Amino acid sequence: MASGCNYHSIIWQIAEDYSHCEFVIRLPGYCPMPAFHDVVDVPLVVRRLHKSRSEMRKELGIADNMKLVIFNFGGQQAGWKFKQEYLPPGWLCLVCGASGNQELPLNFIKLAKDVYTPDLIAASDCMLGKIGYGTVSEALAYKLPFVFVCRDYFNEEPFLRNMLEHYQGGIEVTRRDFLTGHWAPYLKRSISLKPCYEGGINGGEVTARILQDTAMGKCFAVDKFSGARRLRDAIVLGYQLQRAPGRDICIPDWYALDENEHGLCTTLSNTEMREKNNLTTLQHLSICCARCNKDFEILHGDLHGLSDTMSFLKILAELDTVHDSGKHTEKHQRCDHLSVAGLFNWKEEIFIARAPGRLDVMGGIADYSGSLVLQMPIREACHVAVQRIHPSKQKLWEHAQAQKLVKGQESYPVLRIVSYRSESSNHGTTFDMELSDLMDGKEPISYEKANKYFTRDPSQKWAAYIAGTLLVLMTELGVRFADSISILVSSAVPEGKGVSSSAAVEVATMSAIAAAHGLNITPRDLALLCQKVENHIVGAPCGVMDQMASACGEANKLLAMICQPAELIGLVNIPTHIRFWGIDSGIRHSISGTDYGSVRIGAFMGRKMIKSIASSLPFHSLSIDNSHEHVNGKISDNIEKDHGEILEAEASLDYLCNLSPCRYESVYAKRLPESLLGEKFLEKYVDHDDEVTVIDLKRCYGVRAAAQHPIYENFCVKAFKALLTSQSSDEQLSALGELMYRCHYSYNACGLGSHGTDKLVKLVQEMQHNKLSKSGKGTLFGAKITGGGSGGTVCVIGRNCLRSSEQILEIQQRYRSATGYLPFLFEGSSPGAGRFGYLKIRRRFIPA
């Protein structure tokens, strides 16, 4: 739409032409087309085979037992560079569309330009390429597993992908793995697929008959909608179809509202069609979703097309029986499986929630000082499954059963937690406790006691993030838990990389617990409650932006929030020409570390000092231009009144970010000490007014840099947000990048930098200013450290194009060469917990 402003006349002519169409011939895997009210459905359109698999292989000189992949990108000659190690040992690759002078490794075979592709597809074991209607149709028709790459700006992709997954015919390879030649795992996995499409493939013949009948006068249109009405519908759909850059491939929200959505389900009988018409669209979608899942009946909620949620359900389905893991299975995986196998009662309902990590685009540590922040939920997320069950029905682990026998007690409520195949394995995988341990008589225990309870065993401290949500609900909302609770946590959000792995766990856990107990908590309130878990029970002095992004964020949008304490401004669309990446430095980040805490204390010290200075300053001591503000040797009464009001407001300053950079520099900057001993500060000011940190008497804290950072950061974030909506240009991208660089160096001034993050930012700058960039081919424009700093992840901004992805991969390899560590890349986005809601499921087949 951004570039279309130059082609309005052509766009309107196309729309006008389509408005005269009377009916549409619709193919399987279709995208909804509400502009057409008369629809004729036809089977797949597929080219016929000329030769059999064996004939084609014999012609190519390839043995029947040789594994063969066909590389098919629609004949596009893109100058692909192949290496022998891209393929698994013993495999061959047929390359379509290779240039005539291109040299290929021995295990790659160049095909002639006029080769008949369907015969080659049928002769292959799998296909590697991009999603397109013809490619998907022929892959399904000939039951060929399809390894596909995400295709940006192709609106049909979500629906074709959904059709592939429905018929078990496709696997996505990430763009990163595709470009770096990491093909082998995907190819090996693809040949284990069993594509099951059994529908018609004679769509060409059917369509020919329809066209012939139409030409002879048969009418397929029954409605009387005017061309103008259809044009209006088409325009509305056009706006709905706009996709954000880097958007996850999933079925868009508006598709779920289309009443014609059953194109991928099995054909409904007339009776079922009548029943369907009596259901709401949401109910119908739930039925379709349940039919597509043989393991679970989905009683509430939607998968949202999220592949990680589907994978989590698959894992859950495999846990009801203990399988023979085999001698090659890792020991910790066998322990995981044994722990989880008896966790749930499969006859009862299970509640599932999902919460993503976040990429700190702008704002960072200024959140605790009330700054505006911009956060993007990432693709990686945490899933939590919760089941509440009467204590008499719950199976206990052996040690808990022994304790029960020793005590001679009746059944009592127990909390059991399993961390299953989470990213980190540096802690225990199971935790259990009696829920009565969270009570002190009739009241919940204090947060301080809870902190001591969970920190007494370092290997079990991780459970505080999960069990702490129960205590916060008990303390803040008066909830009481009479049933036993079983919790399964599986997180793909890497720990220690500054992308809020802890917030994802807290938000997902509390969301699932709230759903299981019928608690209606808004995403904003839930985020604030989760912050209490981290601040008071875990003991990490974080701000609230992490939990807010995980709970309230939406895919491919920036969550804008003023942290005073959590005022949601709204969602900021990421322009289609801009993209963000995260690159992990490999240096473990922890907001409970001393650097983060000391900078936070320094900022609160600075605020207390500014308030004290403002309350003691006389009006005439302000730095003002006397030549403009003096009248007959006296300060104007109005100016004096204004300055008095300003000082009064600053004397009661609640957040540092409410002080403008101008006021800070003109009045306070030179009056703040560069650093101050904790003991000296407390002697004069008594307290720094931060309930989640404690001042060390013998420690010297940086004050000026820590107080200055959030004041300027807030200004930069506001400028960044405004620039995102400005006209697309290199100047816009350069300005956004410079704001990110400024934020990065301000972190360093506070003492929150690290050699790893500095190295990554330097590599981005080198890429930005190299010769190619100066010649107009550069695509990266800025970078900054994120979150709590002191390591973790760097956020990079660049143009949304293939060249940018290549440069990111080049930076990844350069960093590896310099440090020996291959960074984890974060790309893509997914919905927050609020948008996901929750799933309520029940096992469809109860094992004997």
Side-chain angles (χ1 to χ4, degrees):
M1 296 300 292
S3 61
C5 60
N6 299 317
Y7 306 101
H8 279 171
S9 61
I10 299 175
I11 293 171
W12 280 106
Q13 183 61 56
I14 294 171
E16 174 67 20
D17 292 343
Y18 271 101
S19 74
H20 295 299
C21 298
E22 295 181 355
F23 68 94
V24 62
I25 300 172
R26 190 168 64 183
L27 298 156
Y30 61 83
C31 166
M33 295 169 277
F36 300 97
H37 298 276
D38 288 293
V39 176
V40 180
D41 285 305
V42 300
L44 290 177
V45 174
V46 176
R47 292 176 289 180
R48 296 178 182 272
L49 294 182
H50 293 168
K51 299 177 183 178
S52 68
R53 171 186 171 93
S54 58
E55 288 174 336
M56 197 68 219
R57 284 192 169 231
K58 184 176 181 181
E59 183 177 312
L60 292 170
I62 298 173
D64 287 341
N65 60 352
M66 176 70 71
K67 294 301 180 185
L68 187 64
V69 56
I70 179 170
F71 184 89
N72 184 11
F73 275 78
Q76 298 177 1
Q77 295 186 14
W80 305 104
K81 295 180 181 179
F82 303 106
K83 295 181 180 180
Q84 187 170 345
E85 59 267 25
Y86 285 7
L87 301 179
W91 281 58
L92 292 178
C93 179
L94 304 176
V95 181
C96 298
S99 59
N101 58 355
Q102 185 176 0
E103 294 184 4
L104 300 180
L106 294 177
N107 52 349
F108 286 78
I109 300 173
K110 187 188 305 183
L111 297 172
K113 292 182 179 179
D114 59 350
V115 69
Y116 190 61
T117 310
D119 289 346
L120 294 169
I121 289 176
S124 301
D125 294 291
C126 64
M127 176 162 53
L128 175 61
K130 61 179 175 63
I131 282 185
Y133 182 80
T135 311
V136 170
S137 298
E138 290 176 345
L140 289 175
Y142 302 125
K143 293 182 171 55
L144 184 74
F146 187 13
V147 180
F148 59 88
V149 185
C150 176
R151 185 175 176 184
D152 288 338
Y153 306 112
F154 184 54
N155 288 321
E156 289 87 346
E157 181 175 272
F159 309 97
L160 292 174
R161 172 181 179 145
N162 197 39
M163 183 165 65
L164 268 177
E165 293 178 348
H166 178 73
Y167 293 113
Q168 302 174 40
I171 294 175
E172 180 186 6
V173 55
T174 65
R175 183 172 296 174
R176 176 175 66 249
D177 286 342
F178 171 71
L179 292 175
T180 57
H182 189 60
W183 300 356
Y186 300 94
L187 299 180
K188 290 178 181 178
R189 182 182 166 200
S190 71
I191 60 176
S192 68
L193 295 179
K194 303 295 181 185
C196 57
Y197 180 77
E198 298 293 347
I201 58 174
N202 63 334
E205 291 86 345
V206 174
T207 301
R209 287 198 298 270
I210 293 171
L211 295 177
Q212 185 177 19
D213 291 343
T214 303
M216 296 177 66
K218 183 175 181 179
C219 182
F220 287 90
V222 296
D223 74 60
K224 303 299 180 182
F225 286 118
S226 66
R229 163 64 186 273
R230 291 196 292 272
L231 179 59
R232 186 202 70 184
D233 291 345
I235 292 171
V236 170
L237 178 63
Y239 278 99
Q240 291 171 325
L241 277 173
Q242 292 182 73
R243 292 177 62 193
R247 177 171 183 168
D248 283 350
I249 300 302
C250 60
I251 302 303
D253 294 339
W254 54 265
Y255 183 40
L257 301 177
D258 188 271
E259 293 184 358
N260 291 325
E261 192 280 317
H262 59 272
L264 299 183
C265 295
T266 54
T267 303
L268 301 177
S269 66
N270 291 334
T271 303
E272 289 176 313
M273 283 296 293
R274 287 194 296 270
E275 291 174 352
K276 178 245 175 183
N277 290 332
N278 294 327
L279 297 173
T280 65
T281 302
L282 184 60
Q283 289 171 324
H284 173 58
L285 289 175
S286 297
I287 292 172
C288 287
C289 191
R291 284 176 178 173
C292 294
N293 194 315
K294 65 180 181 179
D295 298 309
F296 293 103
E297 181 182 3
I298 299 179
L299 306 173
H300 174 89
D302 186 357
L303 298 178
H304 296 275
L306 293 166
S307 59
D308 60 344
T309 302
M310 297 175 192
S311 297
F312 180 72
L313 286 177
K314 184 178 180 181
I315 290 172
L316 203 60
E318 295 171 351
L319 298 177
D320 56 353
T321 57
V322 181
H323 302 291
D324 182 5
S325 300
K327 62 181 180 180
H328 299 295
T329 306
E330 293 183 20
K331 181 178 178 181
H332 76 272
Q333 291 186 3
R334 296 199 300 271
C335 292
D336 275 354
H337 200 105
L338 289 169
S339 299
V340 181
L343 184 65
F344 295 123
N345 183 324
W346 297 104
K347 296 180 181 180
E348 304 292 335
E349 296 169 349
I350 298 174
F351 294 80
I352 297 172
R354 177 190 184 278
R358 65 96 187 95
L359 182 64
D360 168 34
V361 176
M362 288 291 285
I365 60 168
D367 63 341
Y368 55 66
S369 294
S371 176
L372 171 67
V373 297
L374 299 174
Q375 307 295 306
M376 185 181 80
I378 59 177
R379 185 191 305 271
E380 292 75 16
C382 173
H383 286 83
V384 172
V386 169
Q387 184 178 73
R388 56 182 295 191
I389 190 167
H390 192 274
S392 62
K393 296 182 180 180
Q394 186 180 35
K395 300 176 184 177
L396 296 177
W397 286 326
E398 290 184 3
H399 69 276
Q401 185 70 36
Q403 291 175 1
K404 178 182 175 183
L405 292 174
V406 170
K407 294 179 179 180
Q409 293 179 324
E410 295 293 330
S411 298
Y412 49 84
V414 174
L415 170 66
R416 298 193 301 168
I417 305 171
V418 174
S419 175
Y420 185 73
R421 294 186 187 177
S422 294
E423 183 273 339
S424 173
S425 59
N426 61 357
H427 56 61
T429 58
T430 63
F431 175 87
D432 65 327
M433 65 182 297
E434 297 177 23
L435 285 176
S436 59
D437 289 344
L438 295 177
M439 298 293 293
D440 187 1
K442 295 184 178 181
E443 297 297 323
I445 63 174
S446 67
Y447 291 151
E448 184 180 3
K449 285 185 178 180
N451 176 263
K452 292 179 180 178
Y453 180 94
F454 290 109
T455 55
R456 62 187 179 183
D457 181 357
S459 67
Q460 298 293 334
K461 185 178 178 181
W462 62 273
Y465 294 97
I466 302 159
T469 60
L470 296 173
L471 182 60
V472 168
L473 290 173
M474 294 163 66
T475 303
E476 307 298 331
L477 301 185
V479 180
R480 296 295 181 265
F481 299 100
D483 290 333
S484 290
I485 301 174
S486 297
I487 301 178
L488 174 67
V489 180
S490 179
S491 181
V493 186
E495 295 180 14
K497 300 188 186 303
V499 290
S500 301
S501 58
S502 59
V505 170
E506 293 155 357
V507 171
T509 301
M510 189 173 288
S511 298
I513 291 172
H517 292 83
L519 304 177
N520 186 17
I521 308 174
T522 66
R524 177 185 179 276
D525 290 343
L526 187 136
L528 290 169
L529 291 171
C530 289
Q531 185 197 17
K532 291 182 180 294
V533 176
E534 190 139 1
N535 286 170
H536 301 298
I537 300 175
V538 176
C542 71
V544 72
M545 74 174 188
D546 298 354
Q547 290 81 7
M548 290 292 289
S550 186
C552 306
E554 293 197 14
N556 305 294
K557 295 182 180 180
L558 300 181
L559 181 74
M561 177 183 68
I562 296 177
C563 303
Q564 300 190 15
E567 180 186 346
L568 289 174
I569 302 300
L571 297 164
V572 180
N573 290 321
I574 301 173
T576 56
H577 65 288
I578 292 176
R579 191 168 186 176
F580 297 101
W581 295 264
I583 309 179
D584 164 43
S585 67
I587 298 173
R588 190 172 179 84
H589 151 88
S590 174
I591 58 172
S592 59
T594 55
D595 288 337
Y596 176 91
S598 64
V599 173
R600 174 169 177 147
I601 289 172
F604 276 84
M605 283 181 168
R607 180 174 71 99
K608 189 68 173 278
M609 292 178 180
I610 287 172
K611 292 171 65 176
S612 177
I613 293 168
S615 63
S616 61
L617 275 176
F619 299 155
H620 62 79
S621 66
L622 295 176
S623 178
I624 57 177
D625 185 349
N626 293 335
S627 63
H628 291 287
E629 297 186 353
H630 278 63
V631 179
N632 296 327
K634 295 182 179 180
I635 298 178
S636 160
D637 289 342
N638 288 335
I639 293 175
E640 183 175 345
K641 180 180 178 181
D642 291 342
H643 287 161
E645 291 176 352
I646 292 172
L647 281 176
E648 185 178 348
E650 291 168 354
S652 58
L653 188 68
D654 47 358
Y655 294 97
L656 272 174
C657 291
N658 291 338
L659 185 65
S660 69
C662 172
R663 288 290 297 171
Y664 170 77
E665 289 292 347
S666 64
V667 181
Y668 302 106
K670 295 180 180 179
R671 290 182 165 93
L672 290 181
E674 193 167 311
S675 61
L676 187 64
L677 192 68
E679 188 176 28
K680 294 291 185 182
F681 175 85
L682 292 176
E683 285 178 2
K684 183 174 181 179
Y685 299 100
V686 182
D687 190 15
H688 66 318
D689 299 332
D690 180 21
E691 62 179 10
V692 300
T693 56
V694 177
I695 294 177
D696 183 347
L697 298 178
K698 302 303 180 182
R699 180 161 187 170
C700 191
Y701 294 94
V703 175
R704 188 183 301 164
Q708 177 177 297
H709 172 81
I711 294 170
Y712 278 92
E713 180 73 359
N714 185 49
F715 175 81
C716 289
V717 181
K718 290 179 178 178
F720 193 95
K721 180 174 178 289
L723 275 170
L724 283 174
T725 60
S726 66
Q727 184 175 359
S728 170
S729 66
D730 285 349
E731 289 75 17
Q732 177 207 30
L733 282 163
S734 296
L736 290 168
E738 285 301 319
L739 289 171
M740 294 181 77
Y741 285 139
R742 194 236 166 258
C743 169
H744 177 78
Y745 294 121
S746 184
Y747 261 74
N748 284 353
C750 293
L752 290 176
S754 73
H755 66 275
T757 49
D758 286 346
K759 177 66 176 177
L760 285 170
V761 170
K762 185 178 180 181
L763 287 172
V764 172
Q765 291 173 333
E766 290 174 355
M767 193 70 69
Q768 178 183 358
H769 299 298
N770 63 18
K771 291 182 180 180
L772 282 176
S773 297
K774 292 180 179 178
S775 66
K777 296 182 180 179
T779 61
L780 302 182
F781 291 89
K784 62 177 279 287
I785 194 171
T786 62
S790 299
T793 294
V794 163
C795 177
V796 182
I797 185 172
R799 202 185 304 278
N800 184 26
C801 62
L802 180 60
R803 176 59 183 155
S804 295
S805 295
E806 292 172 345
Q807 289 185 325
I808 291 292
L809 292 173
E810 187 174 343
I811 289 171
Q812 182 190 39
Q813 294 302 323
R814 287 188 184 184
Y815 188 81
R816 181 182 189 177
S817 298
T819 66
Y821 174 78
L822 182 66
F824 188 98
L825 297 184
F826 296 96
E827 50 185 341
S829 183
S830 65
R835 171 63 68 181
F836 180 85
Y838 69 91
L839 296 176
K840 180 167 72 171
I841 64 173
R842 182 187 293 122
R843 192 75 166 93
R844 190 174 292 278
F845 301 110
I846 307 300

